[in-house]
Amino acid sequence: MSSLTLSSSWSPPPATGYAVGVLIGNKLHLNPIHAVVQLRPSMDYLSSGNSKGKKNATSGEDSNEGKPLGLPKKQSKQMSSGNEQKPDVEESWIPLKYHGSKSDLSSRYLQNMVAPESSTIEFAMNPYDYMSSLCPGISNNNIKLNGPSRRVLLSLPLEERIKRLFLEGPPIHRFAALRHLIPNDSIEDLLIVLQEYGQLVQGLWVPKTSLLFPNPKPTEKVKLAARDYILLLFSKSLVVTPSELNVPMKPLILKSFLNIFAVERPSFKDWKFKENVDTLFVELYPDIVRKQEQAWEVMGKNISAAFDRAGKSVSKNVITKPKKTMTDETREALRKALPKVLQTHKVCSFQMICQGLRQLAISQSTLPKADPRIAVAAASGAEAPPEELQEVISEVATNIHGFYVLKSSPEHPDFDPLRKVVIGLFLARGPNANIKKSEVQAAARLELKREPSNSEYIKVMTDLCESKGSAWVLKSGDGKPS
């Protein structure tokens, strides 16, 4: 065989579910694939028959004997029925040269597939959302795709894009992930459309029931009210207790929606919302949060009225606002005691805060001249429902993926602007994130319009983080609680 022709074909449909990964050390660099070209040997210049026919085919002469050798049955059948392929001279052939993986040309392309160490990216998505947006498709057809691909979404108008995401995507959306999929429209336009088709629950967006079920039957209205009721409860607290589910609805219907939005915790005898609060959105857009709170109040009244029309009463405390068990005295004591606990441990888990409140009460009680009443009252707050204690903690501290840090440093309040920048970076990166000095400096230049001093940088970072190689990670925050 003196020559071999490689015939190309585009892979349908577009390969939006794939990426090329380049592994260098312990870092994986991903490059999305937008199309695939296949190169396969083309045997149509060979033909079956006698040796003369083979010789003529090899030398480039025509041979009319027999069918082409090596073609698939389908293609051979098409050619025998008169659908001959066009001669090569009529096709746009491009000569290609093979370059090995060690060649200079291949090395240059490889370098372009790797982000340099010095390039900083303001990343406001957690790794799961990023991977889902980059590679939404997977090769296993037995697993359902998690929403439309980014390439398809970018081709749609803003309103249609949001509706498509809400109808086909996950049940809960972070604003940073939505912004990544809608990069060109203004934030103001995005927020307007989000409020039209979605509702805010703990700083996250969920599709409205009216969008998912536009024309419900009369028999389905009770079921849809159950979805709104579950979301109403989670809009007020990350945790739902069995007493709040004691309403005139079928338990199976309530549980079907609980399974979508929450995780059952048998040891605590409650249901916990699947996602952490998007504190970054809550802090950046307080006006939107207030509007959504007002919308939920109206929703609660409508649900209550729907029960009344059906002749079924339900507790107004459950519909409008969960009943609080913590006294005002305990809340005020907590506001004074929590900064002391958080100042001692710097980074605290919820469990560590509860233990710290109890230890503070014990230590104050043993001091001869100290007044332990405030510390004892604050310690009683550790026995209150978790959602009530978390509400008070959020007044003085920021929740970074389950760990709390003071919003303001009692020792160096003048460094609070940089502290807020560092907290924002950890919130945007997701759990177990690490940040580097160059990233902090870049974020400070962007947010504060200045370069932080070395003493300011060291104090803020050592207050919140611990060094791990060339990066910083958030302190553990567990304090080995007993």
Side-chain angles (χ1 to χ4, degrees), residues 383-430:
E383 310 302 328
E387 61 271 17
E388 294 187 31
L389 178 56
Q390 288 170 347
E391 183 181 345
V392 182
I393 295 174
S394 64
E395 296 180 14
V396 298
T398 300
N399 183 349
I400 305 179
H401 308 296
F403 297 96
Y404 295 88
V405 299
L406 283 172
K407 294 180 179 180
S408 176
S409 170
E411 301 169 343
H412 298 278
D414 50 325
F415 294 163
D416 284 350
L418 182 61
R419 183 185 183 91
K420 186 176 180 181
V421 169
V422 174
I423 290 174
L425 285 174
F426 278 113
L427 287 171
R429 296 295 176 86

Side-chain angles (χ1 to χ4, degrees), residues 341-417:
V341 174
L342 288 162
Q343 185 179 0
T344 301
H345 301 285
K346 306 301 183 185
V347 180
C348 292
S349 64
F350 182 78
Q351 185 180 3
M352 186 60 203
I353 289 177
C354 294
Q355 180 179 335
L357 290 171
R358 299 186 187 101
Q359 290 176 343
L360 182 63
I362 294 173
S363 63
Q364 291 290 311
S365 299
T366 56
L367 295 176
K369 295 183 180 181
D371 185 357
R373 287 178 295 178
I374 294 178
V376 171
S380 66
E383 310 302 328
E387 61 271 17
E388 294 187 31
L389 178 56
Q390 288 170 347
E391 183 181 345
V392 182
I393 295 174
S394 64
E395 296 180 14
V396 298
T398 300
N399 183 349
I400 305 179
H401 308 296
F403 297 96
Y404 295 88
V405 299
L406 283 172
K407 294 180 179 180
S408 176
S409 170
E411 301 169 343
H412 298 278
D414 50 325
F415 294 163
D416 284 350

Side-chain angles (χ1 to χ4, degrees), residues 342-349 400 402-405 426 432-433 458-467 472-479:
L342 288 162
Q343 185 179 0
T344 301
H345 301 285
K346 306 301 183 185
V347 180
C348 292
S349 64
I400 305 179
F403 297 96
Y404 295 88
V405 299
F426 278 113
N432 305 317
I458 294 298
K459 176 56 185 174
V460 171
M461 299 307 293
T462 54
D463 202 32
L464 301 175
C465 314
E466 56 187 15
S467 177
W472 295 91
V473 297
L474 196 68
K475 289 181 179 179
S476 62
D478 52 20

Side-chain angles (χ1 to χ4, degrees), residues 67-128:
K67 298 178 181 178
L69 179 65
L71 288 176
K73 293 182 179 180
K74 183 177 180 181
Q75 188 176 351
S76 178
K77 183 177 179 181
Q78 290 176 346
M79 294 187 66
S80 64
S81 62
N83 296 332
E84 291 85 0
Q85 290 182 337
K86 296 180 180 180
D88 291 353
V89 293
E90 297 181 12
E91 299 182 7
S92 300
W93 290 100
I94 301 175
L96 301 178
K97 181 181 179 181
Y98 172 74
H99 296 272
S101 60
K102 303 297 183 181
S103 66
D104 294 339
L105 184 65
S106 297
S107 299
R108 288 199 297 271
Y109 273 96
L110 184 63
Q111 291 175 0
N112 291 334
M113 298 173 68
V114 176
E117 187 72 22
S118 59
S119 67
T120 57
I121 302 175
E122 294 301 324
F123 207 52
M125 297 177 65
N126 62 46
Y128 177 81

Side-chain angles (χ1 to χ4, degrees), residues 163-179:
K163 291 173 67 176
R164 186 86 176 265
L165 275 168
F166 280 167
L167 291 172
E168 301 180 18
I172 306 170
H173 300 262
R174 287 192 174 269
F175 182 76
L178 292 170
R179 184 58 181 162

